[in-house]
Amino acid sequence: MAGLKTIIALSFVLAIGFLLVILSSALYHNYFPLLVVATYVLAPLPNWVCGRCASPDDFIENAGNAVIDFGRFCTGFLVVMGVALPALLFHSGIIVFPALVMSIIGGALIYGTIISFTMFFQEEQEF
């Protein structure tokens, strides 16, 4: 069971991640790196939606995993896009290298916090 210290630590790391992404935009007067925040916030949604839609009936346990696999694929796509988007913006000359580094590190902290939050606060199912 995760306690108050876990919540405080996760919120601190999340705040640092958002701070890095915001600073990567504000320091260099270019707000394109803020698109990374949208990809990392939307990344867990396909797993959640496809996990809910996978087997709505408890009587059928042999249902295929295609829906779950599709959700994982979409989540993986969004996570890779969160790293590749700043690299693409840097390659095309829209942002500078320090903004690239700050955006990637901040995005990794944000997504790591989301993953850690879901791991620490998962409900155990008892049957």
Side-chain angles (χ1 to χ4, degrees), residues 29-95:
H29 304 291
N30 192 347
Y31 294 97
F32 282 110
L34 285 179
L35 295 173
V36 173
V37 174
T39 61
Y40 283 109
V41 168
L42 294 177
L45 290 179
N47 269 344
W48 180 70
V49 170
C50 292
R52 294 281 185 181
C53 297
S55 59
D57 190 14
D58 290 336
F59 299 114
I60 301 174
E61 293 294 329
N62 293 336
N65 287 338
V67 175
I68 294 173
D69 289 339
F70 179 70
R72 289 179 183 160
F73 173 77
C74 291
T75 297
F77 174 76
L78 289 171
V79 170
V80 170
M81 191 172 83
V83 175
L85 184 63
L88 176 77
L89 292 173
F90 171 70
H91 180 72
S92 63
I94 296 175
I95 64 173

